[in-house]
Each structure stands twice: as structure tokens, then as C-alpha cells.
């Protein structure tokens, strides 16, 4: 199959490289000249484990290339995927569909022969209808089917998730489109990746419902963590105890500083808006958003309390800035409200992140960036673990303590055990465990 991938970001680049790896011939298109020029030189603009090698191999094999010129890529394609961004629209929280619609118009003008246009971006219910209308309006003679194929990969594990998905959702009622998508994903049937065919609008809703459900799970355990702190219980054991129940499942029950990232916040906001437009308020999802926003803001106060209700003139070391490990993505990272809150309360902030510091500098320009965890801890009054990078899981605690001015650690990811921190003489504060707070 010949595939054109429109939008070469986290999803487009990973999907394009994986499709090429399945044996398809893929052209990744982007408006961003710098991004495409970098990819043509063999440089990967994002951090994603394994991606550089996968791209290099498939470019070398002649199955993958990059361009800013959409017309030839679309003209030759059997399938055109739209994988452009759908950020929150400024002001109201609706998904901003301007990139999707612009891509649809550009695609329409370049179509030749029967082509399936597939929305991989996360889009509100009914967007496929509008994409189809725009294409037919721009190019009335086009022989086209428009399908939905939402993407469920996670940054940091994106290639694995793409190649070994729990499921692939294909939304279309067009037989020819089903056949093309069945062929594109056929190599995955060897990995037992089940393809679920459904209606286009249902596919669009599945993606939002999945993200809202996962965000709800995280927020639920975060609230249980707050209660655990008050009643002297251990949230990690509670999570284990409920997660062993198959009806609940163990994943997404790790208490922490609140969810962030490029998807959950914007997608839950968009779902709430879609529901309100249809006069079906989703009160649970509304509550999840409100609780999570408050939680992210409250993390700076947790540090303030750990320092005896005093932050002015104190130095706080922050380990981890990206919204999760193994990515350089800073979108809506919990570190942003945390650091901003610390600065507002008069603290000086030093920070280290293994790969996210270049991105972080755009969001957090007024802090000191350090070259490793120990340099970051130097003369700090408190150290806060914000992202659970593997590099922070086995720190030399003796050395850390020697670097610090005061031995206070606030561990927002429960990476360490309270007993080991006590043995090393730290005042240790974590999430939802007895004697913390
Ligand atoms: P991104 O911002 O990393 O990439 C989007 C790319 O599209 C950018 O490089 C941009 O320059 C390009 N672009 C915009 N308009 C274009 C056009 N008209 N023609 C060509 N290129 C264009 O976004 P992302 O994180 O890859 O997300 C893409 C979509 O996938 C979003 O809807 C997102 O919600 C969804 N999604 C993301 C993830 C994730 O983990 N990042 C997971 C699942 C789904």
C-alpha cells in the first residue's frame, strides 16, 4: 500500500515509520520546513525510544521519505492519514480543528484515483462528516472514502504500542475503505492485534471515552491518596489491593501529582464541551478536570509545607520536568504549575531532566538548569521528584544528602520507600502513605 501521513509529529512520525516497517511505502508530510529538513538529514525532532533506528532503517530500505509537498504524496497514495494536532482551542476548551480542516482541503485538491482519507488525530464526533463534506466541496469529482482510525499509542512506548496494540479501531461503513485499512493493518494480525470495525462516529467517541476513563482512574486514585494520608493508610497497597480485581485492573492506579501531557487534559476538556453542546453534561469528567487542575496547583503547597511553611529565599531542586519519563514532551506537564507556584512563593528553582530541558526552557525560562541530579541538588533546601525517570530511581542517597543544604525530599511519584529515606536521614514526604503529608 502507498500511504501519505499528513502531520509528522509524535503520532504521524511513529505511525509513518511503523507502517513503513510493515512493508508499506510511506511519505510523511509536514508544513514545518525545519522539521522536514531535519528528518531528511536523518535527525529525529522528538525523543522517542527506538524511533531513530526505525526511521533510519526504513529510509534506507526506500520505504519512508519526508516532504513538505503534499500534492505528489497524496496523488500517489491509496490511503492518506491525517495526524495533525488538535490542541485545545484558546478560550473555550473545544478541540481546535483548524489544522484538520486545512489538511482536508489540501488533501482534497491533490487526490487522484480511489483514496481512503483517514483521521488519526483525536477529533470530536462528527469531524469525519465535516472532513468528507470539505473534500467533496473542494474536489467534487474525487473518488474518496473518509474513515476514522483513532490512535492509542503512549509517548515513551509508542513503537511498542503501535506494533502490539490492544486493539485497532476502524470507523467506516465503506467496504472499499475497510479493505484498504484491513490490508494496511494486516501485518498486525500476526501479533493478534484485533481490528474492531465500527461506524465512524462511534470510532471518534471511543477515543475520547478511553482517554476520559483513564484520566478518571488516575484522578480517583489521587483522591484516595489524599484520604490515605489522613487516615494512615498506604495508597500503593490500596491500589494493589483493588487492582488485583480483574474488573478494576492494576493499570493507571499510580497516585501522583495529577495527569498532564499532550492528550488527557485537552481531550477531557474537549469531551466535556462536546457533551455540553449535546446537552448531556458529563459530570464525572467535569469533576475529573476540576480535581486534577486543583491537584496540580496544590503540589507547590506540598513543598511549602515540607519546608515548614516557608519558601521565600529557599532553593528547591526539581528532578524531572516532562509530563512522564521517556519523552521530551512538556505539554501540560505537572512540573509547570509546580515550578510556577514555587517561584510565586519566593523560592529559587534549580532543575534537571534527562531529555526535556530544551523544551522546558520555553515554558520555564526563569529557573537554573543543571547537568545532573547531584548538581541540581547542590545547596538545595528541598528536592522534589516530579517525573519518575529511571535515572532517579536509584540515586546515591548519601551523596544526595551531602550536596543538599537541608535533607528534605518531596517525592511526588513514590519512587522511594519511607524507611530507606529515614535511614539516610531525610525528612521524606510522598503521596498517600502513612506518616507523610
Ligand atoms: P504534534 O503537534 O506533535 O504534531 C502535529 C504535526 O502536524 C506538526 O508537526 C505540525 O507542523 C503538523 N501539521 C499541522 N498542520 C498541518 C498540515 N495542514 N499539513 C501538514 N502538517 C501539518 O501532535 P501529536 O502529538 O502527534 O498529535 C497529533 C494528533 O494525534 C492529535 O490529535 C493528538 O490528540 C492525537 N494523539 C496524540 C498522541 C500522543 O501521544 N502525542 C496519542 C494519541 C493520539
Amino acid at each position: 500500500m502507498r500511504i501519505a501521513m499528513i502531520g509528522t509529529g509524535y503520532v504521524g512520525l511513529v505511525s509513518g515509520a511503523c507502517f513503513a516497517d510493515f512493508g508499506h511505502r510511506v511519505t510523511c508530510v509536514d508544513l514545518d520546513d525545519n522539521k522536514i529538513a531535519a528528518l531528511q538529514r536523518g535527525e529525529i525532532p522528538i525523543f522517542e525510544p527506538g524511533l531513530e533506528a526505525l526511521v533510519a532503517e526504513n529510509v534506507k530500505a526506500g520505504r519512508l521519505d519526508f516532504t513538505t509537498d503534499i500534492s505528489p504524496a497524496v496523488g500517489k497514495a491509496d490511503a492518506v492519514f491525517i495526524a495533525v494536532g488538535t490542541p485545545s482551542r484558546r478560550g473555550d476548551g473545544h478541540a481546535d480543528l483548524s489544522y484538520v480542516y486545512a489538511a482536508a482541503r489540501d488533501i482534497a485538491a491533490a487526490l487522484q484515483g480511489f483514496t481512503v482519507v483517514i483521521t488519526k488525530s483525536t477529533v470530536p464526533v462528527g469531524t469525519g462528516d465535516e472532513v468528507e463534506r470539505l473534500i467533496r466541496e473542494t474536489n467534487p469529482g474525487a473518488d474518496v472514502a473518509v474513515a476514522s482510525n483513532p490512535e492509542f499509542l503512549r509517548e515513551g512506548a509508542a513503537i511498542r504500542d503501535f506494533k502490539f496494540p490492544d486493539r485497532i479501531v476502524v470507523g467506516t461503513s465503506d467496504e472499499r475503505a475497510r479493505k484498504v485499512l484491513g490490508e494496511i493493518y494486516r501485518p498486525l494480525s500476526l501479533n493478534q492485534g484485533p481490528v474492531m470495525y465500527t461506524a465512524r462516529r462511534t470510532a471518534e467517541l471511543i477515543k475520547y471515552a478511553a482517554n476520559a476513563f483513564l484520566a478518571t482512574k488516575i484522578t480517583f486514585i489521587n483522591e484516595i491518596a489524599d484520604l490515605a494520608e489522613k487516615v494512615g493508610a498506604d495508597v500503593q497497597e490500596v491500589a494493589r489491593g483493588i487492582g488485583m480485581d480483574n474488573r478494576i485492573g492494576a493499570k493507571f492506579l499510580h497516585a501522583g501529582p495529577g495527569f498532564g501531557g499532550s492528550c488527557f487534559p485537552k481531550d477531557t476538556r474537549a469531551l466535556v464541551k462536546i457533551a455540553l453542546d449535546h446537552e448531556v453534561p458529563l459530570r464525572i469528567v467535569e469533576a475529573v478536570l476540576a480535581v486534577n487542575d486543583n491537584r496540580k496547583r496544590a503540589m507547590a503547597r506540598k513543598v511549602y509545607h515540607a519546608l515548614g511553611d516557608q519558601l521565600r529565599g529557599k532553593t528547591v531542586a526539581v528532578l524531572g520536568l516532562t509530563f512522564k519519563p521517556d519523552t521530551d514532551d512538556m505539554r501540560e506537564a505537572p512540573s509547570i504549575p509546580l515550578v510556577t507556584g514555587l517561584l510565586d512563593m519566593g523560592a529559587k528553582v534549580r532543575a534537571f531532566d534527562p531529555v526535556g530541558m530544551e523544551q522546558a526552557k520555553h515554558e520555564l525560562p526563569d529557573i537554573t538548569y543543571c547537568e545532573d541530579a547531584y548538581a541540581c541538588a547542590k545547596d538545595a533546601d528541598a528536592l522534589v521528584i516530579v517525573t519518575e525517570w529511571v535515572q532517579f530511581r536509584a540515586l546515591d542517597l548519601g551523596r544526595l544528602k551531602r550536596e543538599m543544604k537541608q535533607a528534605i525530599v518531596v517525592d511526588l511519584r513514590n519512587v522511594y520507600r519511607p524507611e530507606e529515606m529515614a535511614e539516610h536521614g531525610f525528612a521524606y514526604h510522598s503521596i498517600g502513605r502513612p506518616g507523610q503529608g
Side-chain angles (χ1 to χ4, degrees):
M1 287 278 151
R2 273 197 97 107
I3 294 173
M5 184 66 64
I6 314 303
T8 308
Y10 286 87
V11 165
L13 183 55
V14 170
S15 308
C18 289
F19 282 145
D21 210 44
F22 296 166
H24 303 303
R25 177 71 187 78
V26 181
T27 298
C28 287
V29 183
D30 206 285
L31 292 175
D32 184 336
D33 301 332
N34 292 332
K35 195 176 265 190
I36 292 299
L39 285 160
Q40 286 170 340
R41 288 193 302 272
E43 293 163 19
I44 306 297
I46 54 169
F47 178 83
E48 180 61 45
L51 188 57
E52 191 168 353
L54 190 74
V55 168
E57 258 170 53
N58 284 283
V59 168
K60 194 164 165 229
R63 291 190 295 262
L64 179 62
D65 64 356
F66 303 97
T67 184
T68 52
D69 190 359
I70 192 169
S71 283
V74 168
K76 287 184 211 137
D78 303 295
V80 180
F81 285 84
I82 300 177
V84 300
T86 49
S88 278
R89 196 160 69 190
R90 246 174 229 287
D92 69 1
H94 266 291
D96 177 352
L97 294 173
S98 56
Y99 302 98
V100 172
Y101 294 152
R105 286 197 188 87
D106 291 346
I107 292 165
L111 289 169
Q112 284 176 29
F114 175 65
T115 315
V116 187
V117 175
I118 306 119
T119 312
K120 198 167 245 322
S121 301
T122 302
V123 293
V125 181
T127 303
D129 302 358
E130 182 60 10
V131 166
E132 182 163 355
R133 196 192 64 75
L134 281 172
I135 293 177
R136 297 205 187 283
E137 179 185 87
T138 312
N139 184 348
D143 186 10
V144 69
V146 175
S148 162
N149 170 222
E151 182 49 58
F152 299 96
L153 63 77
R154 292 163 303 166
E155 288 174 22
I159 294 171
R160 206 182 177 286
D161 284 353
F162 198 91
K163 290 191 170 177
F164 299 91
D166 291 341
R167 78 314 206 176
I168 296 150
V169 174
V170 172
T172 180
S173 48
D174 185 294
E175 258 320 304
R176 290 187 298 170
R178 276 187 183 212
K179 253 178 105 180
V180 167
L181 278 152
E183 187 59 28
I184 287 173
Y185 281 111
R186 197 175 48 81
L188 283 188
S189 57
L190 305 173
N191 302 338
Q192 254 108 55
V195 181
M196 173 186 166
Y197 292 99
T198 183
R200 192 162 65 196
R201 284 176 165 245
T202 306
E204 290 169 339
L205 187 54
I206 285 171
K207 174 65 193 178
Y208 278 113
N211 274 1
F213 190 83
L214 294 172
T216 302
K217 233 178 146 181
I218 295 172
T219 305
F220 175 80
I221 202 68
N222 282 340
E223 285 204 313
I224 295 293
D226 290 346
L227 181 60
E229 281 174 20
K230 295 285 182 220
V231 300
D234 183 331
V235 73
Q236 283 184 259
E237 307 227 335
V238 174
R240 208 154 66 87
I242 65 174
M244 282 193 280
D245 184 330
N246 284 333
R247 294 169 302 178
I248 296 174
K251 291 185 179 160
F252 283 74
L253 286 179
H254 198 86
F259 61 79
S262 61
C263 291
F264 287 176
K266 81 168 174 69
D267 291 347
T268 43
R269 274 198 294 270
L271 181 58
V272 162
K273 290 293 174 183
I274 297 164
L276 284 177
D277 284 350
H278 291 84
E279 294 175 25
V280 186
L282 297 182
R283 299 207 202 289
I284 292 173
V285 188
E286 286 172 12
V288 164
L289 266 168
V291 169
N292 192 62
D293 284 348
N294 279 337
R295 183 172 191 85
K296 289 208 275 189
R297 280 196 295 270
M299 291 300 117
R301 281 197 299 280
K302 196 169 171 79
V303 180
Y304 170 80
H305 294 317
L307 274 162
D309 294 351
Q310 177 59 268
L311 270 174
R312 194 150 300 282
K314 304 283 183 192
T315 299
V316 179
V318 170
L319 293 188
L321 294 167
T322 54
F323 85 91
K324 67 172 176 179
D326 291 327
T327 181
D328 58 352
D329 202 335
M330 281 294 294
R331 287 178 278 188
E332 305 213 29
S335 64
I336 299 171
L338 168 79
V339 170
T340 309
L342 295 174
L343 294 173
D344 285 349
M345 286 189 269
K348 289 199 207 78
V349 176
R350 301 164 64 74
F352 169 68
D353 187 280
V355 304
M357 291 198 287
E358 280 315 305
Q359 298 288 346
K361 283 174 190 168
H362 304 295
E363 306 283 346
L364 302 168
D366 300 324
I367 62 176
T368 305
Y369 289 91
C370 304
E371 64 183 19
D372 64 31
Y374 304 101
C376 184
K378 193 159 179 49
D379 297 329
D381 294 285
L383 178 128
V384 189
I385 300 175
V386 186
T387 315
E388 67 280 33
W389 282 92
V390 72
Q391 288 89 331
F392 306 148
R393 286 177 182 269
L395 292 167
D396 176 342
L397 296 175
R399 182 173 166 202
L400 200 67
K401 186 160 176 245
R402 285 195 297 281
E403 296 289 354
M404 294 178 69
K405 192 150 119 203
Q406 298 192 69
I408 299 173
V409 168
V410 182
D411 180 357
L412 302 182
R413 300 289 183 174
N414 290 355
V415 171
Y416 288 94
R417 282 180 295 114
E419 312 80 65
E420 68 179 325
M421 297 306 279
E423 273 164 30
H424 281 86
F426 283 99
Y428 178 68
H429 306 258
S430 58
I431 302 275
R433 295 195 286 192
Q436 314 298 316

